[in-house]
Amino acid sequence: MFTLPQKESRAPTTCPGPASSPGLDSHYGDGLGRECARKQDQKLQELYGVGDPTATFSSDSCHLSSRGRIIKWFWDSAEEGYRTYHMDEYDEDTNPNGIINLGTSENKLCFDLLSRRLSQSDMLQVEPSLLQYPDWRGHLFLREEVAGFLSFYCKSPAPLNPENVVVLNGCASLFSALATVLCDVGEAFLIPAPYYGAITQHVYLYGNIRLVYVYLDSEVTGPDTRPFQLTVAKLEMALQGAKAEGVKVKGLILINPQNPLGDIYSPGELQEYLEFAKRHKLHVMVDEVYMLSVFEESAGYRSVLSLERLPDAQRTHVMWATSKDFGMSGLRFGTLYTENQEVAAAVASLCRYHGLSGLVQYQVAQLLRDRDWINRVYLPENHARLKAAHTYVSRELKALGIPFLNRGAGFFIWVDLRKYLPKATSEEETLLWRRFLDNKVLLSFGKAFECKEPGWFRLVFSDKAHRLRLGMQRVRQVLEGKSQVAEDPPSCQTQEPSASTGELVVATWLCGHWAW
């Protein structure tokens, strides 16, 4: 686990409106109420932070360049929990006391569906063009399929143009490439925090680009507000604060659906953020990698590409990948859609380092064009399984009396464990994280996402039933002060009907198995 050192920045507080009462799962907050006026001398609210990856860096390696030492330092600092997990990974047969991973955001629920589809004969083709150097933007047949796929699932008002598509080996490469071609060394992007922390490395390691954190908090100040809500006022404050510190901001990063919150921006909110960016001539990178992982219809997700008019299409760049929505994080396919041909060409030039093999491009094209399988088989079943797993974990958290953000998108729940910290510090948060790891369950703590409120954790639920049930038992043990490695529960025999309703799926969950 890793978080960047940064310079914390403050601004004068203003008096908020009356605080609202908390909801059952997500609408709650501390609330300053009407006594704010006489609390002006208290600790000022932290509104933004400027990331500085080299602030506490030290290395005595004689074999690496200064840049190489920083890159290695990121590696040494960032992956502690992940490396520990891989050295002691849970296996039902060979290592039942190993670590259960509820920290890595991967969809492990649909391998059966994917393996059957990817093993079909139409996926296997070898021809000379697939073994030769391609157009670095990607083979035209793939870019045409991507454009058609995004047009359909993003519900774009007009068909999207394949000439605006670039394909790379995942969104990590895409973040790196975009940041490098849009910013000069030392410039920055605004990003609402908490955010997916690996973006820090994506934009810094190649381009030496910084992030300006737009800090969000859990306080609810009125009936029309929600925890960790992003507003244009917060964006303006962070932008002006960064400028005052001499940091040039070139863009804004939005993740929709959001990671780790699970929030979905409404079309009105998206329009407001894009208008803000246009006023300040900022590029906007919109990461929509979870767009097909919205399992609650009431969530009302809309892609930025569905908007009738983009305020500044030349500075709006949309990314998507198969890693999350198709549970194929190891395949390494990501795509950029931008109407700015200069940006597309610059990113394509970097694709010689981040390209996909022709064989993978062919497989992805075959997958994306199979709309019948996606709509009739994969998406309904994937959504049903995600919803069942989310329901199970939600019930477990409620039984423990733990507040959380109850959203209907993504693979994770943003969980409030602040009451388990003796002191509200990042050090105590890290100690709780280590207690989980010692009890053989890996979670992600809030500081890894630049959350300013110690005690929030991201818990991933998109895993098989027996692993998820065992992981939740181990979480419960830590929180109840009974840390010991939980063993596999006894098996439970169930029938295997098709998952047609959430109630049926949840009923089989209580036995610790999926029954489809």
Side-chain angles (χ1 to χ4, degrees):
M1 306 298 292
F2 173 77
T3 183
L4 284 179
Q6 83 249 6
K7 179 178 180 180
E8 293 183 355
S9 306
R10 303 172 184 271
T13 56
T14 56
C15 191
S20 66
S21 300
L24 284 178
D25 298 326
S26 61
H27 286 9
Y28 64 99
D30 297 328
L32 296 180
R34 298 185 181 278
E35 297 184 16
C36 176
R38 60 189 184 88
K39 295 183 179 180
Q40 294 295 329
D41 294 333
Q42 293 182 354
K43 183 178 179 181
L44 297 176
Q45 181 183 8
E46 296 167 355
L47 298 176
Y48 71 96
V50 179
D52 185 2
T54 61
T56 61
F57 165 74
S58 63
S59 173
D60 56 0
S61 172
C62 62
H63 301 291
L64 299 173
S65 66
S66 58
R67 179 171 51 193
R69 290 195 297 271
I70 291 174
I71 291 172
K72 180 179 180 296
W73 176 66
F74 265 95
W75 171 262
D76 292 340
S77 304
E79 304 293 342
E80 177 188 351
Y82 198 58
R83 287 199 300 269
T84 302
Y85 160 68
H86 277 296
M87 290 187 293
D88 187 19
E89 187 172 345
Y90 169 86
D91 184 272
E92 186 175 4
D93 299 317
T94 63
N95 191 22
N97 292 328
I99 297 172
I100 299 283
N101 184 0
L102 303 183
T104 303
S105 182
E106 292 183 295
N107 186 348
K108 301 175 182 177
L109 296 174
C110 292
F111 176 77
D112 57 330
L113 306 179
L114 293 166
S115 62
R116 284 197 295 270
R117 182 63 189 91
L118 294 174
S119 299
Q120 292 179 9
S121 59
D122 66 326
M123 288 287 176
L124 306 175
Q125 179 165 327
V126 179
E127 56 187 48
S129 64
L130 299 180
L131 302 180
Q132 297 163 1
Y133 291 125
D135 181 335
W136 291 119
R137 295 174 297 172
H139 281 291
L140 179 59
F141 67 79
L142 175 57
R143 289 186 285 118
E144 289 175 341
E145 290 301 333
V146 169
F149 177 89
L150 295 179
S151 296
F152 182 82
Y153 290 103
C154 294
K155 298 180 171 58
S156 60
L160 301 178
N161 185 352
E163 293 303 309
N164 299 335
V165 174
V166 183
V167 299
L168 302 84
N169 60 343
C171 280
S173 298
L174 188 45
F175 270 114
S176 296
L178 265 178
T180 299
V181 304
L182 296 179
C183 296
D184 288 321
V185 170
E187 293 180 340
F189 276 91
L190 295 174
I191 188 165
Y195 70 95
Y196 172 52
I199 294 174
T200 300
Q201 298 179 62
H202 300 343
V203 303
Y204 185 81
L205 291 187
Y206 278 176
N208 196 5
I209 311 306
R210 304 166 73 181
L211 296 175
V212 174
Y213 316 125
V214 184
Y215 289 132
L216 310 179
D217 59 64
S218 63
E219 181 183 359
V220 176
T221 57
D224 297 324
T225 63
R226 63 181 185 270
F228 299 101
Q229 184 171 1
L230 177 64
T231 65
V232 171
K234 293 175 183 177
L235 290 170
E236 291 280 5
M237 184 68 71
L239 177 62
Q240 298 309 318
K243 287 182 177 179
E245 295 188 26
V247 177
K248 186 173 183 179
V249 175
K250 293 293 289 292
L252 167 66
I253 296 173
L254 296 174
I255 307 171
N256 187 37
Q258 213 270 357
N259 179 7
L261 303 177
D263 264 356
I264 291 174
Y265 299 131
S266 70
E269 288 174 322
L270 283 174
Q271 197 76 36
E272 289 179 0
Y273 307 150
L274 295 175
E275 292 286 359
F276 157 81
K278 181 181 180 180
R279 285 197 302 273
H280 296 286
K281 297 183 179 179
L282 301 179
H283 289 272
V284 184
M285 283 196 266
V286 186
D287 178 358
E288 297 191 341
V289 74
Y290 291 98
M291 73 171 185
L292 297 182
S293 298
V294 181
F295 51 88
E296 290 287 359
E297 292 184 10
S298 61
Y301 172 79
R302 287 275 301 275
S303 166
V304 71
L305 293 174
S306 73
L307 299 180
E308 289 294 331
R309 182 188 64 84
L310 292 174
D312 190 350
Q314 290 296 303
R315 290 191 177 93
T316 304
H317 319 292
V318 184
M319 60 182 75
W320 179 79
T322 55
S323 298
K324 309 301 182 183
D325 288 339
F326 283 95
M328 298 190 297
S329 51
L331 188 73
R332 310 311 302 140
F333 166 82
T335 186
L336 166 70
Y337 190 84
T338 178
E339 294 185 19
N340 189 315
Q341 289 303 303
E342 291 184 351
V343 172
V347 170
S349 182
L350 292 175
C351 286
R352 67 184 67 238
Y353 313 116
H354 301 291
L356 293 85
S357 75
L359 299 177
V360 169
Q361 292 193 46
Y362 178 82
Q363 287 184 310
V364 172
Q366 290 296 104
L367 182 70
L368 298 185
R369 72 162 52 105
D370 192 353
R371 209 73 54 79
D372 185 67
W373 177 81
I374 293 172
N375 292 335
R376 293 177 180 270
V377 178
Y378 180 74
L379 286 182
E381 197 72 5
N382 185 39
H383 290 167
R385 297 181 188 188
L386 285 171
K387 185 171 183 177
H390 179 273
T391 299
Y392 168 75
V393 173
S394 297
R395 288 179 177 177
E396 290 292 300
L397 293 172
K398 288 178 181 178
L400 287 167
I402 295 172
F404 58 96
L405 297 194
N406 190 10
R407 306 296 188 246
F411 307 154
F412 33 77
I413 297 178
W414 191 235
V415 179
D416 182 3
L417 300 181
R418 288 180 291 177
K419 67 183 180 181
Y420 295 96
L421 304 187
K423 297 180 181 178
T425 65
S426 59
E427 291 77 13
E428 290 291 343
E429 179 183 83
T430 303
L431 288 175
L432 179 57
W433 173 77
R434 290 189 186 282
R435 288 202 295 275
F436 286 127
L437 193 60
D438 290 343
N439 205 49
K440 301 302 183 74
V441 59
L442 175 64
L443 304 182
S444 298
F445 57 66
K447 191 60 177 173
F449 304 96
E450 283 299 334
C451 182
K452 291 302 294 181
E453 299 178 8
W456 289 87
F457 284 71
R458 190 187 72 176
L459 193 159
V460 174
F461 58 80
S462 49
D463 205 343
K464 293 293 186 179
H466 68 282
R467 287 196 295 265
L468 192 54
R469 185 166 183 242
L470 184 57
M472 290 305 297
Q473 285 180 6
R474 295 177 181 180
V475 167
R476 177 187 287 270
Q477 288 171 350
V478 172
L479 298 181
E480 293 179 345
K482 303 174 183 177
S483 296
Q484 58 184 26
V485 179
E487 297 180 353
D488 279 310
S491 353
C492 181
Q493 299 298 320
T494 60
Q495 295 180 335
E496 297 191 351
S498 173
S500 57
T501 69
E503 290 182 0
L504 173 62
V505 174
V506 173
T508 62
W509 252 102
L510 298 180
C511 291
H513 292 268
W514 292 116
W516 305 114

